[in-house]
Amino acid sequence: MATDSSLLSVDAVDQLPFTAKEFDARLSSCRKAMSERGLDYLVLSSPENIYYLSGLVTRGYYVFQALVVMHTGEPIVVIRRFERTNVERLSYYQNIAIWRDTDVPADVLAKTLSEVGASGKTVGIDGNSYFFTVSAYETLRAALPNSRFVNASAVLEKCRRIKSPQEIAYIRRAAVATKAGFDAAREITHSGRTENEVAAAFHQAVIAAGSEYMAGHPYVASGPRTALPHASWSGRRIEKGDLVYIEGAGNTKRYSAALMRTWSMGKPNDDVRRAADTSIAALDAAIAAMKPGATSGEVDAACRSTVARAGLADAFLHRTAYSVGVGICPGWGEGWVMDIKEADPRVLESGMVFHIVPVLFPEPHVSVGFSATVLVNKVGAEILTDYSREMEC
């Protein structure tokens, strides 16, 4: 196991992403949350939650996997036999229940739960996970008819909101890669180039700067395609006068640092310039409002009121920000852990990290946005993905 004496190197490859002390603390916090919810057992199936507690990460998460947490003893990794080596080399926990390709995976999970005494008990499940299917749930209910199953997707919410020094170190390293990607993308973004060329430049530079595979592909759109939410490269050739929208996030040890910019191929018109200035002002207002003790709703109000004063309230269709931390495809955000939105009473604390996204739609075929990944510290907020806000290319 890794030593507990200091932060782990962000560049090391063959090591667990966190110290034994941090993994043990996370398990303790998880068990405390289970007790508060009245859970006897917890079944985690989202790859982000499994990684957070165990360090296990595999691109094979598209097939069934689970982590069973009890109040005593080591958690059990339920995994496909083909993935066993990943558990042995990448997971802090080595207690394994194997399913084979001829098995029904949920049957193996049900048997595992029965063997550890879950029959007749309250079992929390990752009910909001993309990877916990209705059929798996029905299999568990049929195999353990006396057990009570409850949706416990939010059990790790409080645990994951505040990032440890090691997590923050990974996000800082991801931010370095993100900046390299934007430098390369901006260099190549000119009329006559294609969206594909911009995306390729971003990918090459981010990966060369140390990023692992990204939690989500970058969004690259030009001209009228900028108004398509989450649009990405399509081969379109950039024309003089176009806007080019790009958003992406480098990744270190599954931790992302995201950034969004809008560039104009020449002088933008007055409406676009007004929207850009408003997005930047709203971003600054949100950052200025972020500090320990502020509520999510207060930060949102600072951002949203800035947009409203500019007469663009109807152009702001998005929440103000979302938490950034463990990111596994298809996305780098963890908004379900914490987000910044209207009238939200949740309180910000030191160690939280957010991607602030005041993207505006001032015209039917236009979007304009400037963003930053920001760390809430003891006195305010620190921009982690700081980058030029110059719009014209």
Side-chain angles (χ1 to χ4, degrees):
M1 294 297 174
T3 61
D4 300 333
S5 57
S6 62
L7 292 183
L8 299 169
S9 167
V10 296
D11 298 316
V13 177
D14 294 323
Q15 67 176 20
L16 290 169
F18 302 101
T19 64
K21 182 178 180 180
E22 186 157 344
F23 276 122
D24 291 343
R26 290 178 179 192
L27 180 58
S28 178
S29 295
C30 177
R31 285 171 169 165
K32 179 180 178 182
M34 288 170 60
S35 294
E36 292 170 352
R37 290 284 304 274
L39 303 178
D40 299 305
Y41 299 86
L42 176 64
V43 178
L44 299 173
S45 54
S46 78
E48 296 89 351
N49 280 338
I50 292 172
Y51 175 79
Y52 181 80
L53 277 189
S54 72
L56 173 64
V57 63
T58 168
R59 288 287 282 122
Y61 61 82
Y62 52 83
V63 296
F64 189 89
Q65 61 177 1
L67 186 69
V68 179
V69 183
M70 299 82 71
H71 283 282
T72 59
E74 183 174 301
I76 304 168
V77 182
V78 182
I79 199 80
R80 183 186 181 197
R81 182 172 65 173
F82 183 76
E83 300 281 346
R84 179 171 191 149
T85 304
N86 282 325
V87 179
E88 294 171 345
R89 294 179 58 177
L90 303 177
S91 173
Y92 182 64
Y93 301 113
Q94 296 293 300
N95 195 4
I96 307 173
I98 293 291
W99 61 268
R100 292 170 169 77
D101 290 349
T102 53
D103 294 325
V104 175
D107 283 342
V108 176
L109 172 60
K111 180 181 178 182
T112 301
L113 285 168
S114 180
E115 289 174 349
V116 296
S119 180
K121 303 293 185 179
T122 300
V123 180
I125 57 171
D126 231 346
N128 293 343
S129 169
Y130 302 136
F131 304 97
F132 189 74
T133 65
V134 173
S135 62
Y137 177 60
E138 291 177 342
T139 297
L140 289 186
R141 290 192 61 185
L144 299 164
N146 297 322
S147 297
R148 175 174 173 257
F149 292 94
V150 299
N151 185 355
S153 288
V155 162
L156 286 182
E157 180 180 290
K158 290 183 179 180
C159 305
R160 286 178 54 183
R161 283 183 191 175
I162 299 174
K163 274 56 183 180
S164 70
Q166 184 69 68
E167 291 177 293
I168 293 169
Y170 290 150
I171 295 171
R172 289 187 188 278
R173 183 64 185 84
V176 172
T178 300
K179 181 181 183 301
F182 272 77
D183 282 341
R186 187 179 179 90
E187 179 68 24
I188 203 171
T189 300
H190 295 290
S191 57
R193 296 287 195 174
T194 66
E195 293 174 351
N196 291 46
E197 290 177 287
V198 176
F202 180 88
H203 275 96
Q204 194 280 333
V206 168
I207 295 168
S211 176
E212 299 164 18
Y213 70 90
M214 287 165 273
H217 63 72
Y219 304 118
V220 179
S222 64
R225 296 188 68 254
T226 63
L228 300 174
H230 299 124
S232 205
W233 63 94
S234 69
R236 183 182 183 275
R237 192 168 299 280
I238 299 167
E239 301 176 0
K240 185 178 179 180
D242 275 349
L243 294 182
V244 176
Y245 172 97
I246 180 168
E247 182 179 4
N251 189 285
T252 300
K253 303 296 184 184
R254 307 320 319 145
Y255 286 82
S256 300
L259 183 67
M260 170 203 305
R261 286 293 183 268
T262 306
W263 298 321
S264 179
M265 302 301 102
K267 185 177 181 180
N269 66 40
D270 290 344
D271 287 342
V272 168
R273 172 55 69 185
R274 175 179 166 224
D277 291 344
T278 300
S279 177
I280 292 169
L283 174 63
D284 286 338
I287 293 170
M290 280 186 162
K291 60 184 179 181
T295 68
S296 165
E298 288 169 345
V299 176
D300 179 89
C303 181
R304 204 165 295 277
S305 63
T306 301
V307 176
R309 285 194 298 272
L312 291 169
D314 291 341
F316 191 11
L317 311 179
H318 204 282
R319 58 190 168 180
T320 287
Y322 52 83
S323 177
V324 173
V326 180
I328 296 175
C329 293
W332 57 69
E334 49 177 27
W336 67 271
V337 169
M338 177 79 172
D339 53 7
I340 304 295
K341 57 189 178 184
E342 293 179 90
D344 185 351
R346 291 176 294 178
V347 175
L348 272 62
E349 299 179 59
S350 179
M352 291 182 173
V353 179
F354 296 97
H355 185 208
I356 308 173
V357 284
V359 58
L360 305 176
F361 294 80
E363 299 176 4
H365 302 296
V366 171
S367 72
V368 179
F370 294 77
S371 80
T373 295
V374 173
L375 166 67
V376 180
N377 57 32
K378 293 181 179 180
V379 296
E382 174 191 353
I383 300 175
L384 301 181
T385 52
D386 203 5
Y387 197 78
S388 169
R389 298 175 181 181
E390 179 60 41
M391 190 178 191
E392 293 183 35
C393 284

